Amino acid sequence: MALRESSLNGKSMITTQELSRDEIMEIIELAEDMQENRFADKYSKVLDQRSFLMFFYNPSVRTRQSFEIAATELGGHGLYIEPGSMRLQQLDKPPEEQGGETIEDVAGVMNRYGAGVGIRMLEDKIDRYGRGDEVLREYDKYLDKPLVSFAHDRFHPCQGLADVMGYRKHVGKDLEDVTIAHVWGHGALARSHCSVQESMLISSRLGMNVRVAHPEGYDLDEEVVEWTKENCKENGGSFDIDHDPVDVYEDADIVYSRNWMSRDAYQDGEFKKEEEIEKALKYTDWICDEEKMKLTDDGLFSHPMPVDRRHEATDEVASGPRSIILDIAENRLHVQKAYMALSMG
Ligand code: CP
């Protein structure tokens, strides 16, 4: 496979919902070739001498490593930037108290240095749900280079792409009519909604049957739910939301377990992490275990990681023969290389 001119050239990726289905498939198919020919000459100079600016407001294992390595393997360099090392506006404060350098100025400077920019902004770095998405879009407004979300409060596009690349390997290239069950987990980490929401969106774009189960009070973004329903209608899949921790497993092909925070997580501009964890830990039925996995159609276990073992899933499931979590983590590298090559190369 050779690199061609692409509609993704210069295009940002804040969610896969804003890409066409052809663009999604272009990234995944190129990623599959990049996995097969990981160090081939044809890919080793795509970002020759160019730098990708990696901007992490929150910590990361997979995203940081995979993006930095992606830049290296494409012949460029990934530059890790910690917001604490800059004099930025304090975005979790009201405008009159923010001080610091504006997004307009920081983005303007980044335009002069980098081939592209990535930003992670999660949970405790924002004062309300939706703020992270607004900040990314403000950066994007001032950037003339592609911006990619490294995971923010609403979306995690690279995770969604890596997930479906994993399903294509383990279930088959055609995902139409494959059933994915997203199940809330009673984790101790008070996670953002980004991974599960991205998974719902991209799965429904590819014709999968999408199920979601969570306790009352843990509703997802209404707009994302609406988009998922519309995607299902357009692409032939079905969509169901339920509040039962067991029924959702029935005959599923893939189980996607994940904790996410409740609708009350932000109060008076503050992320109530401890209260969220205390509340979530009471739902002990909401764990993905072998008993529940037996209800599936020999289902695969999927999770974006880090897995909160013994809360979201048991060790037997997370490390079991049907777990594909490490393949999916590896796919992060390939899909990100593919996106960078098509958008920044
Ligand atoms: N899945 C994921 O984004 O992992 P990290 O938080 O470690 O980057």
Side-chain angles (χ1 to χ4, degrees):
M1 183 180 276
L3 283 173
R4 291 174 278 119
E5 190 58 41
S6 168
S7 57
L8 286 160
N9 190 266
K11 189 161 181 168
S12 294
M13 184 164 68
I14 291 178
T15 167
T16 56
Q17 185 69 14
E18 292 166 353
L19 306 185
S20 70
R21 196 177 143 133
D22 283 350
E23 287 170 337
I24 291 173
M25 293 315 301
E26 191 179 5
I27 296 172
I28 292 171
E29 283 167 9
L30 180 58
E32 287 167 349
D33 193 63
M34 284 178 155
Q35 181 177 36
E36 216 171 294
N37 301 286
R38 182 157 169 191
F39 301 107
D41 287 348
K42 62 181 172 177
Y43 298 131
S44 65
K45 294 246 181 289
V46 174
L47 289 186
D48 193 20
Q49 298 194 51
R50 301 177 71 203
S51 293
F52 175 61
L53 305 175
M54 310 194 315
F55 203 1
F56 282 91
Y57 284 88
N58 296 79
S60 157
V61 169
R62 280 143 291 272
T63 306
R64 179 180 176 182
Q65 292 180 28
S66 55
F67 264 107
E68 195 161 330
I69 291 166
T72 302
E73 291 188 7
L74 293 173
H77 171 61
L79 179 68
Y80 177 74
I81 310 167
E82 215 187 326
S85 65
M86 302 201 281
R87 294 175 295 272
L88 293 173
Q89 279 180 324
Q90 291 171 280
L91 296 167
D92 56 346
K93 298 219 164 109
E96 61 280 8
E97 292 173 27
Q98 282 176 2
E101 208 166 359
T102 63
I103 290 178
E104 179 179 352
D105 288 347
V106 174
V109 172
M110 286 172 155
N111 282 332
R112 305 298 175 100
Y113 296 149
V117 177
I119 302 179
R120 164 165 289 202
M121 184 171 251
L122 293 166
E123 298 108 18
D124 55 331
K125 299 299 181 288
I126 51 178
D127 58 351
R128 61 184 159 81
Y129 176 76
R131 179 69 176 130
D133 198 65
E134 289 169 10
V135 171
L136 259 72
R137 289 180 195 280
E138 196 175 342
Y139 270 100
D140 199 32
K141 187 170 101 183
Y142 294 112
L143 284 169
D144 57 21
K145 304 285 165 49
L147 169 73
V148 54
S149 168
F150 281 172
H152 62 285
D153 49 353
R154 293 190 84 195
F155 306 118
H156 197 349
C158 300
Q159 189 61 53
L161 290 162
D163 294 338
V164 294
M165 183 177 166
Y167 308 153
R168 279 163 61 87
K169 175 180 168 186
H170 289 277
V171 182
K173 298 260 175 196
D174 181 3
L175 294 175
E176 278 184 23
D177 227 20
V178 170
T179 298
I180 180 165
H182 301 90
V183 197
W184 184 87
H186 81 295
L189 296 176
R191 259 70 186 261
S192 281
H193 306 84
C194 55
S195 299
V196 68
Q197 293 187 163
E198 193 70 52
S199 174
M200 288 161 58
L201 291 170
I202 196 166
S203 303
S204 55
R205 296 294 291 289
L206 300 187
M208 295 173 75
N209 301 319
V210 177
R211 294 182 193 162
V212 182
H214 60 76
E216 305 271 0
Y218 286 85
D219 301 63
L220 293 162
D221 187 317
E222 290 89 354
E223 192 171 35
V224 172
V225 170
E226 276 314 303
W227 288 341
T228 307
K229 283 183 193 163
E230 282 165 28
N231 291 345
C232 284
K233 245 187 239 160
E234 250 170 57
N235 299 294
S238 61
F239 180 64
D240 295 286
I241 296 191
D242 199 337
H243 300 302
D244 191 292
V246 180
D247 289 355
V248 67
Y249 286 81
E250 200 73 49
D251 295 327
D253 299 298
I254 301 160
V255 172
Y256 184 109
S257 131
R258 184 63 161 174
N259 170 260
W260 62 85
M261 64 182 78
S262 78
R263 299 298 290 198
D264 303 324
Y266 294 96
Q267 286 169 30
D268 304 322
E270 226 184 292
F271 175 46
K272 300 284 181 187
K273 185 170 181 172
E274 296 314 315
E275 285 94 320
E276 276 298 301
I277 292 171
E278 198 182 324
K279 187 165 60 176
L281 287 175
K282 290 183 184 145
Y283 292 92
T284 49
D285 287 352
W286 290 83
I287 182 165
C288 179
D289 58 23
E290 282 183 308
E291 273 313 295
K292 296 191 190 98
M293 288 300 285
K294 279 183 195 151
L295 301 172
T296 68
D297 187 7
D298 197 20
L300 297 165
F301 175 72
S302 176
H303 190 292
M305 302 182 85
V307 183
D308 186 2
R309 286 171 180 247
R310 295 180 285 277
H311 289 124
E312 291 175 318
T314 60
D315 283 334
E316 290 74 21
V317 170
S319 300
R322 300 298 286 160
S323 172
I324 57 168
I325 59 176
L326 292 179
D327 279 355
I328 287 174
E330 179 194 319
N331 291 345
R332 291 289 306 276
L333 171 67
H334 308 304
V335 296
Q336 289 158 199
K337 279 174 73 176
Y339 167 72
M340 289 164 84
L342 293 165
S343 65
M344 304 168 204

